[in-house]
Amino acid sequence: MAKANRMEERGVEGPSAIGRALLAVSDQWTLLILQRAFLLRVRRFADWRDELGMSESVLANRLKEMVAGDLLKPAPYREEGRTRTEYLLTERAVELWPVLVEIWSWERRWVPRRHGLPELTHTGCGRRTDVELGCASCGRAGVTARDTETVRGAATFAQVTVPRLHRRTVRGEADPLSYLPETFEVLGDRWSTVILAAAFLGLRRFADFQAELGVAPSVLSNRLRRFTDLGVLEVEEPGARPRYRLTDKGLDFFGIFAFLVDWAQRWYTGPPDTDLRITHRACGLPFRPCLRCRSCGEAVSRTRVRFALPERDATA
Ligand SMILES: [Zn+2]
Ligand SMILES: [Zn+2]
């Protein structure tokens, strides 16, 4: 592993850290597999298959990729005299926990739903609560996208973003998207994530997205339409050269974006000077995202959050 990393570092081309991280996790099935592992402690092939209504071949393929990508580690266990394999979250995957908590919080704020979301309890204060974004560099809470500035190093957008071939999106009988449907639609295919990341980096015009990302016009207009339907982007200037901007709902996605960037920079290495840099204007320091409890104001750690799942509606 160390050797492979050194070889990657020598090349000037190649994806940045965030590009590598998005390659690893920006896929609906991968996110759902991780989410069920976190929320329901799913560890076994048959349980993911049944829980998500996935085909065995797609599931086997994703588990293999996630083991290769150091997100899951296989662990043998004995059952009925046979040796079987279960899959445990690696440290790298466990460190995604604030991304998933922030996703939960964003869905709670923005997505009207028929069925209840899981409830979060902060065991530090014992209350059912929500979280807010804070800056770990200076300790301030209530940080939003408008309080920060995001710049990229010398990286091209292609290095930041690196979309892969289109992959099958989630369609299942079992409604696997039931808990967090909109986020996984935004994050769950690489072009979508890439376009959103580019919007956070300041791209506005259709032609600029197209030129900088090298995305086919049909794919781009499809994703931009989807984002405007979801209320994440809005058309600021219609016409032959439309200009888009993030809505409040889109800007609020910043917390998820910031935690993904933070995770990417701790776990992946890209060529020199290809990092994204997010600065917290109030303190002038690199923005290091943290989660604070809205009830007691304490910084929330992974071991102090508990999710209680809603009762499942049998007719859902
Ligand atoms: Zn700060
Ligand atoms: Zn609390």
Side-chain angles (χ1 to χ4, degrees):
M1 196 72 194
K3 192 175 178 187
N5 277 342
R6 271 199 304 280
M7 287 182 57
E8 284 163 8
E9 277 163 26
R10 248 183 271 133
V12 285
E13 291 301 315
S16 65
I18 180 77
R20 285 177 206 278
L22 292 179
L23 273 175
V25 299
S26 186
D27 165 73
Q28 285 189 349
W29 285 126
T30 304
L31 289 167
L32 287 165
I33 290 167
L34 287 169
Q35 184 201 37
R36 293 318 199 261
F38 274 99
L39 278 181
L40 304 177
R41 304 190 182 284
V42 172
R43 299 285 180 266
R44 296 180 182 180
F45 187 92
D47 295 336
W48 274 301
R49 181 195 60 203
D50 298 344
E51 172 65 29
L52 296 171
M54 293 178 78
S55 84
E56 297 202 338
S57 61
V58 174
L59 176 58
N61 176 281
R62 290 302 192 281
L63 293 178
K64 204 169 121 194
E65 282 183 7
M66 291 169 77
V67 169
D70 188 37
L71 294 171
L72 293 174
K73 55 180 177 243
Y77 70 98
R78 298 284 294 175
E79 190 179 70
E80 294 166 1
R82 293 178 55 190
T83 301
R84 295 164 185 273
T85 303
E86 59 183 8
Y87 296 87
L88 307 178
L89 292 167
T90 60
E91 196 188 342
R92 185 193 298 255
V94 165
E95 289 294 314
L96 275 169
W97 75 272
V99 177
L100 290 169
V101 173
E102 186 62 20
I103 285 172
W104 169 86
S105 181
W106 184 85
E107 292 266 345
R108 194 170 190 259
R109 287 192 292 279
W110 293 103
V111 183
R113 60 186 60 251
R114 289 173 302 153
H115 304 291
L117 270 180
E119 291 278 353
L120 181 148
T121 299
H122 176 218
T123 61
C125 66
R127 290 191 210 129
R128 285 195 167 186
T129 185
D130 197 350
V131 289
E132 65 177 342
L133 189 63
C135 172
S137 293
C138 68
R140 284 179 178 85
V143 178
T144 69
R146 292 190 175 89
D147 303 319
T148 64
E149 188 183 14
T150 303
V151 296
R152 63 194 156 109
T156 63
F157 272 99
Q159 282 177 301
V160 175
T161 51
V162 207
R164 213 153 55 171
L165 292 172
H166 177 72
R167 307 177 77 180
R168 203 179 328 179
T169 50
V170 170
R171 296 277 179 274
E173 298 289 310
D175 192 15
L177 293 173
S178 54
Y179 300 133
L180 303 166
E182 285 203 10
T183 316
F184 285 7
E185 195 165 335
V186 173
L187 283 181
D189 104 77
R190 292 185 179 86
W191 273 127
S192 299
T193 320
V194 161
I195 290 164
L196 193 69
F200 275 114
L201 283 159
L203 288 198
R204 291 292 174 265
R205 291 196 184 275
F206 188 98
D208 296 337
F209 282 107
Q210 201 192 334
E212 296 253 21
L213 302 174
V215 51
S218 59
V219 173
L220 179 59
S221 49
N222 172 291
R223 297 305 190 281
L224 291 172
R225 194 178 319 120
R226 192 71 199 113
F227 280 155
T228 48
D229 288 348
L230 287 171
V232 167
L233 289 178
E234 64 191 355
V235 181
E236 195 177 22
E237 280 173 28
R241 301 185 62 230
R243 194 179 145 92
Y244 292 84
R245 71 169 163 218
L246 291 156
T247 60
D248 286 343
K249 182 178 175 182
L251 278 170
D252 199 39
F253 208 83
F254 172 75
I256 298 167
F257 177 70
F259 277 115
L260 265 178
V261 170
D262 184 60
W263 179 74
Q265 290 175 348
R266 280 183 292 121
W267 290 98
Y268 297 87
T269 310
D273 200 28
T274 58
D275 269 352
L276 292 183
R277 278 188 296 276
I278 307 179
T279 305
H280 184 206
R281 292 186 216 271
C283 66
L285 295 170
F287 177 57
R288 290 195 294 119
C290 67
L291 292 174
R292 293 184 168 271
C293 169
R294 280 194 191 268
S295 295
C296 70
E298 293 285 310
V300 173
S301 65
R302 182 176 62 83
T303 54
R304 293 292 175 92
V305 284
R306 293 268 181 283
F307 279 105
L309 293 173
E311 293 297 318
R312 292 232 176 154
D313 183 340
T315 63

